[in-house]
Amino acid sequence: MSHYHIKSIAQFNQATQEAKDNPEQFWHDIALENFMWRNTWDTVVKHDLTMPSVTWFEGAQLNISENCLDRNLAERGDKTAILFEPNDPDASAEKITYKELHKRVCTFANVLKSKGIKKGDRVCLYLPMIPELAIAVLACARIGAIHSVVFAGFSATALATRIDDCACKMVITSDGSYRGAKTIDLKGIVDQALEKCNGIESVLVVKRIASEILMVPDRDFWLAPLLAQASDICEPEIMDAEDPLFVLYTSGSTGKPKGIVHTTAGYMVYAGYSFKNVFQYEEDDVYWCTADIGWITGHSYIVYGPLLNGATTVMFEGVPTYPDVGRFWEIVAKHKITQFYTAPTAIRALAKESLSLVEKHDLSSLKILGSVGEPINEEAWHWYDDHIGKNKCPIVDTWWQTENGGIMITSIPGITESIPTYATLPLPGIQPCLMDENGNEILEIKAEGRMCVKFPWPSMARTIYGNHERYKETYFASFNGKYFTGDGALRDELGNYRITGRVDDVIIVSGHNLGTAPIEDAIDQHPLVAESAVVGFPHDIKGTALYGFVTLKNEQGKDENELRNEVNDMIASEIGPIAKLEKIQFTQGLPKTRSGKIMRRILRKIAEGDSSNLGDISTLLNPEAVQDIIDNAF
Ligand code: WTA
């Protein structure tokens, strides 16, 4: 028996040990017993983390959509696969059964084929959280096309960069999207993006808000008439284990976004295994993850992980504040949600509101609560535990990354202990370690250091699209032979991990990773800006918010608030509203080292409101700049 579903602490300990002693056997058993293969593998894993080169289940053949859909038809054909809750609370929810989902995916896949999409082609999905997004993901997987989902809050420029970087042939979008009381002109954003891109041959458009949009002849096609003509039978493309399944962009500390590449078999095995264990899914559960499919959490824990386990997965189109801030709890009560998985920023925002908005809803269906995206602070953890879980639902604080494909460190509900602010223990099969400044692994159990992973796991990213060198440089060059996460962590005497945060220039704002460099690039494009530096500072709801120090060119006499708005508009148009600055301070100059590097450490302290202990600043090129910044700080 494999350890696909861990049911006791004894089994957890045994699985952890077996996975360390004999990872090949451990993953062989899990893969063989719980998935559908057209061909099994010759080798379980081949790895050299210095190249780095990793393959899992080489020689195997499969299709992940077949595992998500066809495999569930006999037993669960009439079970709800996707439960769609629209933005409008008065509109009825849509229940899509496994049978229907299978048909809709096959039909959509035939439309993709009719527009010339073949195995290996890249398709960009820029869609709101409507069923068509999940269906498009699965339709790509069905025919072996590589999906690249771009979060539909990104700007036209950000979308264009992502379309170009992996040379997409098609974009799938909608006329617009609902966001609470507002609508967003998604198709207009796509049109703008495509003015800057070359390779797009066709755009499929889902009608969602029935707005007036421009349709470019021979390029843009409404989806509905194409679906109406297509057959609902589509044999799955047989994929090799290491064929790419998707590309998903994530911000780096420098340069353009990184197209993280995940491959088919390893990703599937780990998404299925981690979902089953972390959420202890049982047949009649109704599971809801509030993330957007534009992020990795939505890929692994709205679409693939749940469907691989025959689960009912909820997709919510709206926002937590519409029509009021009780919306999440209303949905929990309405659909009798059993597992609820959200982000600390949402918890903090909702915890600020009146408790009556929680208490008027019946939350007694809940069994397990989850958190992801950033460290969850103790206060938010207790509020979640007391008021949402009523102290009877274990909380899983799940640490992982886009690059990991699936949850790496977490407690297992009912089996291992949840500890506030600790992600706790690695899932069996994951071998994290802490490294010191000299690049050595810290062997004492109680320690603090930089977190690495020292043995490959099936769903680790294989490369950065089109740039293997950058992949190696970013993740494998800092500590020889180990995957470096970019996070710092503490480990207690029992081996529990507490993530302390990023150790690079990535800042996590409301759970979204933002690199400082792209934001600074956007600010610097303002004609009056000479240079800028962006750092994070603690924020009640966002966890961390952005503080920009901006030096203007000489000749200006503009109103400062007007300039601040212009700078933020610049950021919104280059990246998206999520990257706007909370505070903007205009400076005479930025503190620099003698080699001309901006001293972010000093700016960070000032932004945090702690300028008493800046360390030795005498070696700076321009120590006088520092006093001026302190005097004018917010
Ligand atoms: C942070 C999200 C503390 C971390 C799935 C990581 C967390 C980055 C947690 C990846 C957590 C995510 N506790 N920090 N439970 N979960 N992080 O790629 O810094 O969007 O490196 O993946 O988020 O963010 P990403």
Side-chain angles (χ1 to χ4, degrees):
M1 264 285 280
S2 77
H3 293 296
Y4 186 75
H5 185 186
I6 294 166
K7 293 180 179 157
S8 66
I9 184 70
Q11 189 187 0
F12 174 81
N13 291 332
Q14 188 191 347
T16 301
Q17 196 57 46
E18 286 178 15
K20 245 181 228 164
D21 295 344
N22 191 347
E24 281 84 0
Q25 190 67 47
F26 178 83
W27 290 112
H28 170 91
D29 292 348
I30 285 176
L32 196 64
E33 289 172 20
N34 300 284
F35 299 91
M36 184 173 164
W37 302 93
R38 294 293 185 120
N39 242 321
T40 52
W41 42 94
D42 306 316
T43 42
V44 175
V45 57
K46 277 193 199 158
H47 56 96
D48 175 350
L49 291 185
T50 58
M51 292 297 286
S53 138
V54 175
T55 63
W56 281 90
F57 308 111
E58 212 172 52
Q61 291 190 306
L62 72 154
N63 183 289
I64 193 170
S65 85
E66 189 172 40
N67 276 273
C68 289
L69 303 172
D70 307 55
R71 189 164 63 116
N72 287 313
L73 292 181
E75 247 179 82
R76 308 186 176 95
D78 295 320
K79 174 175 176 175
T80 302
I82 294 179
L83 201 171
F84 172 59
E85 172 70 22
N87 179 66
D88 177 358
D90 299 323
S92 43
E94 189 187 349
K95 292 184 172 173
I96 305 173
T97 64
Y98 272 92
K99 244 189 230 157
E100 285 159 2
L101 184 62
H102 177 256
K103 278 200 170 159
R104 288 176 68 175
V105 168
C106 289
T107 313
F108 204 124
N110 284 326
V111 170
L112 296 179
K113 281 189 192 169
S114 75
K115 292 290 166 211
I117 300 298
K118 301 179 304 296
K119 176 176 175 177
D121 288 343
R122 275 79 53 213
V123 176
C124 174
L125 278 49
Y126 188 72
L127 281 163
M129 280 287 288
I130 53 177
E132 284 79 1
L133 173 51
I135 292 168
V137 160
L138 293 163
C140 287
R142 186 123 190 127
I143 64 169
I146 300 169
H147 54 77
S148 168
V149 184
V150 176
F151 172 61
F154 276 117
S155 70
T157 311
L159 173 61
T161 313
R162 287 160 175 77
I163 289 173
D164 269 345
D165 185 72
C166 68
C168 291
K169 271 176 78 174
M170 175 190 265
V171 179
I172 306 174
T173 188
S174 64
D175 50 356
S177 64
Y178 293 115
R179 204 177 152 71
K182 291 192 296 195
T183 57
I184 297 170
D185 176 22
L186 286 193
K187 177 59 166 55
I189 298 172
V190 170
D191 290 340
Q192 242 183 307
L194 294 190
E195 282 170 19
K196 304 176 193 159
C197 304
N198 297 316
I200 295 296
E201 292 169 8
S202 52
V203 178
L204 302 185
V205 187
V206 178
K207 184 172 271 185
R208 178 63 189 146
I209 67 167
S211 55
E212 279 290 316
I213 56 165
L214 179 84
M215 293 293 278
V216 176
D218 301 325
R219 186 196 75 180
D220 301 350
F221 305 91
W222 288 107
L223 182 68
L226 296 174
L227 288 173
Q229 287 164 15
S231 149
D232 62 9
I233 297 169
C234 177
E235 283 305 311
E237 184 79 29
I238 304 306
M239 306 297 286
D240 289 335
E242 285 294 338
D243 281 336
L245 174 64
F246 65 85
V247 178
L248 182 61
Y249 285 86
T250 184
S251 311
S253 46
T254 55
K256 59 179 186 176
K258 298 172 285 194
I260 300 298
V261 177
H262 283 287
T263 59
T264 308
Y267 175 81
M268 174 181 79
V269 168
Y270 198 80
Y273 161 83
S274 53
F275 176 80
K276 185 73 180 175
N277 284 312
V278 177
F279 298 103
Q280 293 286 313
Y281 186 84
E282 290 171 44
E283 195 57 47
D284 295 324
D285 289 346
V286 180
Y287 159 89
W288 180 22
C289 164
T290 70
D292 191 289
I293 295 175
W295 311 115
I296 190 68
T297 303
H299 281 60
S300 301
Y301 300 112
I302 294 178
V303 182
Y304 288 115
L307 298 178
L308 285 165
N309 285 285
T312 298
T313 177
V314 173
M315 267 183 88
F316 174 45
E317 183 185 27
V319 292
T321 49
Y322 177 80
D324 63 40
V325 284
R327 185 74 192 271
F328 272 5
W329 321 126
E330 182 201 326
I331 296 173
V332 167
K334 178 173 170 191
H335 297 302
K336 302 200 167 33
I337 303 293
T338 44
Q339 289 93 345
F340 177 73
Y341 189 28
T342 195
T345 184
I347 299 167
R348 287 191 297 261
L350 297 176
K352 277 198 165 334
E353 305 295 337
S354 156
L355 266 182
S356 64
L357 286 154
V358 176
E359 282 159 2
K360 74 179 198 201
H361 300 287
D362 173 8
L363 307 183
S364 61
S365 56
L366 288 170
K367 298 196 288 191
I368 291 164
L369 302 177
S371 170
V372 60
E374 59 180 315
I376 175 165
N377 51 304
E378 192 144 5
E379 202 185 341
W381 195 99
H382 284 296
W383 185 86
Y384 202 26
D385 187 36
D386 293 346
H387 299 293
I388 306 305
K390 320 283 183 202
N391 304 112
K392 69 173 179 58
C393 302
I395 294 179
V396 289
D397 175 0
T398 63
W399 174 86
W400 60 297
Q401 313 176 289
T402 305
E403 297 85 343
N404 305 154
I407 295 166
M408 304 283 278
I409 302 187
T410 178
S411 49
I412 300 190
I415 293 171
T416 65
E417 200 191 347
S418 321
I419 310 170
T421 76
Y422 279 76
T424 73
L425 299 171
L427 281 180
I430 304 301
Q431 298 187 36
C433 59
L434 296 178
M435 309 296 291
D436 67 20
E437 290 105 70
N438 306 320
N440 299 316
E441 183 178 346
I442 306 173
L443 297 173
E444 293 83 50
I445 299 196
K446 190 166 158 44
E448 177 167 11
R450 304 200 155 200
M451 193 159 62
C452 287
V453 186
K454 59 184 178 183
F455 193 82
W457 65 102
S459 63
M460 66 189 288
R462 300 295 193 264
T463 192
I464 290 175
Y465 194 92
N467 199 342
H468 198 68
E469 200 42 48
R470 186 174 181 201
Y471 174 67
K472 177 173 176 173
E473 188 53 39
T474 311
Y475 305 109
F476 298 89
S478 308
F479 301 99
N480 193 31
K482 297 188 171 63
Y483 166 79
F484 176 43
T485 63
D487 283 336
L490 289 169
R491 188 168 52 205
D492 74 5
E493 54 286 344
L494 297 173
N496 292 298
Y497 287 88
R498 174 182 186 164
I499 314 304
T500 50
R502 301 290 311 179
V503 295
D504 56 11
D505 285 328
V506 171
I507 301 177
I508 304 193
V509 180
S510 298
H512 304 313
N513 292 9
L514 298 168
T516 50
I519 303 175
E520 290 161 6
D521 287 347
I523 302 172
D524 296 350
Q525 286 184 35
H526 190 290
L528 295 180
V529 170
E531 66 174 350
S532 62
V534 171
V535 298
F537 72 99
H539 185 277
D540 272 6
I541 291 178
K542 298 178 175 178
T544 307
L546 300 174
Y547 192 128
F549 296 90
V550 179
T551 308
L552 297 172
K553 289 177 184 161
N554 284 334
E555 62 313 341
Q556 49 87 27
K558 252 196 171 167
D559 176 63
E560 287 203 344
N561 279 334
E562 207 173 303
L563 264 173
R564 287 191 178 98
N565 289 338
E566 287 177 15
V567 163
N568 265 335
D569 288 347
M570 205 84 208
I571 296 172
S573 103
E574 287 299 300
I575 301 164
I578 50 176
K580 283 190 183 178
L581 306 179
E582 190 80 17
K583 294 182 182 172
I584 301 178
Q585 179 180 351
F586 295 108
T587 55
Q588 300 296 324
L590 299 172
K592 299 212 176 131
T593 62
R594 289 187 189 265
S595 60
K597 232 176 149 237
I598 296 172
M599 282 293 274
R600 283 164 203 286
R601 181 179 58 77
I602 291 176
L603 295 175
R604 230 174 267 137
K605 285 242 169 206
I606 297 174
E608 286 166 5
D610 174 22
S611 46
S612 56
N613 178 23
L614 296 179
D616 181 15
I617 59 168
S618 64
T619 57
L620 290 179
L621 191 63
N622 53 346
E624 72 287 353
V626 177
Q627 195 54 49
D628 171 64
I629 295 176
I630 294 173
D631 291 345
N632 294 296
F634 285 99

